[in-house]
Amino acid sequence: MPPRGWEDAVERVFRRHGAGSLDSDPLQFPRRFRRADDREIAAYFAASLSYGNARAVCSSLERVFAWVGPHPARFVREFEPRREAAALGRFRHRWSSAGDLVRLAVMLRGILGQHGTLQALFGRGVVRGPGGRTDLAATIGRFREAALAYDETPPEDDLSRPGPRYFFPDPHTSAAKRTTMFLRWVVRPDDGLDLGLWDCLHPRDLVAPLDTHMFQIARQLHLTRRKTPAWRAALDLTRGLRRLDPEDPVKYDFALSRLGIVEGCPRHRRSEPCELCGLLGRGKRRRN
């Protein structure tokens, strides 16, 4: 049972963190572009590298978008690995290498060449369950399988490391956080944060992006009792947020994630408790 007053606390966090907090999030990168096709491709690049420390993520993405240039969709459609690979040099973001990004660009080139947009490929695999509700896990699984078919590198060259498979996470083995975040960006309406690019899903079909920090919040609010931040825990968090907005539950994701990225809660010490800390009975913390 969530603590009394948790809904009001989440709403206060939601009102406090809007577009003014965008500079702390990788979503800032696709919003630099005006054309819908550029935003779609920029969003996939940005989401693909959105793992690890937020500051490091944004630093890596600055380099990636310097490489991609002012027109990401054109960059992908005209991508030539031999011509473009050298410009990345020895780029590395944690375990993702320059070679992985080159292979991702080749895969995206194949998808755009055959389907025109990422949405067209994704939309072909949408799975409807009972009552017409989208089975997002099955849908993401189909998209993953279809996208990986465009990887031109022989499988035997990629057995010892994640490679570009990591850019297409599997909801059967993880919370698929980067894919669910990308979908939040492109499906939710343009509100100064999300982009409103796709119409093959409705906001009510989305699942909350779940990383370690959001998993901690979900557990502290008693929205999940699961032990690991996997797909079922993401579903639990989404069900909890539906109590606040059944038609658009993941609209709270950006604001709640600022508690860890901007405010240092709940993983790090800070001088004052946030609304959720206060709700859970945590007192004022000492300064270091």
Side-chain angles (χ1 to χ4, degrees):
M1 178 77 64
R4 182 176 299 176
W6 74 276
E7 300 98 330
D8 291 338
V10 171
E11 291 286 0
R12 286 194 295 270
V13 173
F14 175 71
R15 290 193 296 269
R16 187 167 70 247
H17 288 296
S21 300
L22 191 60
D23 62 354
S24 64
D25 196 87
L27 181 53
Q28 66 181 284
F29 293 92
R31 290 206 69 90
R32 293 178 181 180
F33 304 97
R34 293 187 176 183
R35 290 173 54 100
D37 58 347
D38 288 333
R39 285 186 165 192
E40 182 190 60
I41 293 299
Y44 209 87
F45 274 117
S48 294
L49 291 179
S50 292
Y51 66 96
N53 176 271
R55 185 175 298 178
V57 169
C58 290
S59 177
S60 293
L61 288 175
E62 288 288 2
R63 186 170 177 186
V64 168
F65 283 100
W67 177 58
V68 167
H71 300 291
R74 181 191 303 169
F75 173 83
V76 165
R77 291 190 183 100
E78 299 175 356
F79 187 75
E80 291 292 341
R82 293 184 180 180
R83 182 183 67 208
E84 304 294 351
L88 269 180
R90 296 184 178 181
F91 171 88
R92 180 168 290 276
H93 176 71
R94 301 190 74 181
W95 49 78
S96 295
S97 68
D100 295 332
L101 281 180
V102 168
R103 287 173 65 182
L104 175 61
V106 169
M107 294 165 73
L108 295 177
R109 180 188 67 185
I111 293 170
L112 295 193
Q114 185 167 354
H115 300 279
T117 65
L118 296 182
Q119 177 179 205
L121 176 62
F122 189 95
R124 287 165 59 95
V126 172
V127 179
R128 304 293 181 187
R133 184 173 292 276
T134 297
D135 183 338
L136 195 61
T139 299
I140 291 173
R142 284 189 175 184
F143 173 68
R144 179 180 189 270
E145 182 179 357
L148 289 176
Y150 290 91
D151 185 8
E152 297 181 1
T153 301
E156 60 268 20
D157 292 349
D158 197 32
L159 296 178
S160 62
R161 50 189 306 277
R165 290 192 306 272
Y166 191 72
F167 301 141
F168 298 89
D170 185 352
H172 294 100
T173 58
S174 73
K177 175 253 182 176
R178 283 164 292 116
T179 300
T180 56
M181 184 177 66
F182 168 77
L183 291 174
R184 192 205 91 203
W185 292 355
V186 296
V187 171
R188 288 199 66 254
D190 187 344
D191 58 358
L193 290 169
D194 295 320
L195 305 170
L197 300 176
W198 286 14
D199 58 11
C200 63
L201 295 176
H202 188 279
R204 65 174 171 264
D205 298 324
L206 300 176
V207 169
L210 189 77
D211 58 11
T212 301
H213 167 65
M214 290 296 290
F215 179 59
Q216 290 172 341
I217 288 178
R219 281 183 57 84
Q220 289 167 356
L221 291 178
H222 301 166
L223 298 179
T224 186
R225 300 178 65 182
R226 302 186 191 277
K227 304 298 185 182
T228 57
W231 185 257
R232 289 186 181 275
L235 293 179
D236 289 344
L237 173 58
T238 306
R239 278 191 289 268
L241 295 176
R242 281 201 184 101
R243 302 183 202 179
L244 307 181
D245 191 333
E247 293 299 307
D248 192 8
V250 304
K251 75 180 186 183
Y252 300 98
D253 171 64
F254 178 86
L256 287 173
S257 66
R258 297 315 93 187
L259 295 179
I261 294 171
V262 175
E263 300 189 18
C265 171
R267 290 180 294 173
H268 308 294
R269 293 181 179 178
R270 59 189 300 273
S271 59
E272 297 290 340
C274 68
E275 282 91 347
L276 297 184
C277 289
L279 180 66
L280 295 167
R282 294 180 181 144
K284 186 173 181 178
R285 301 177 182 177
R286 293 180 180 178
R287 297 179 185 271
N288 291 333

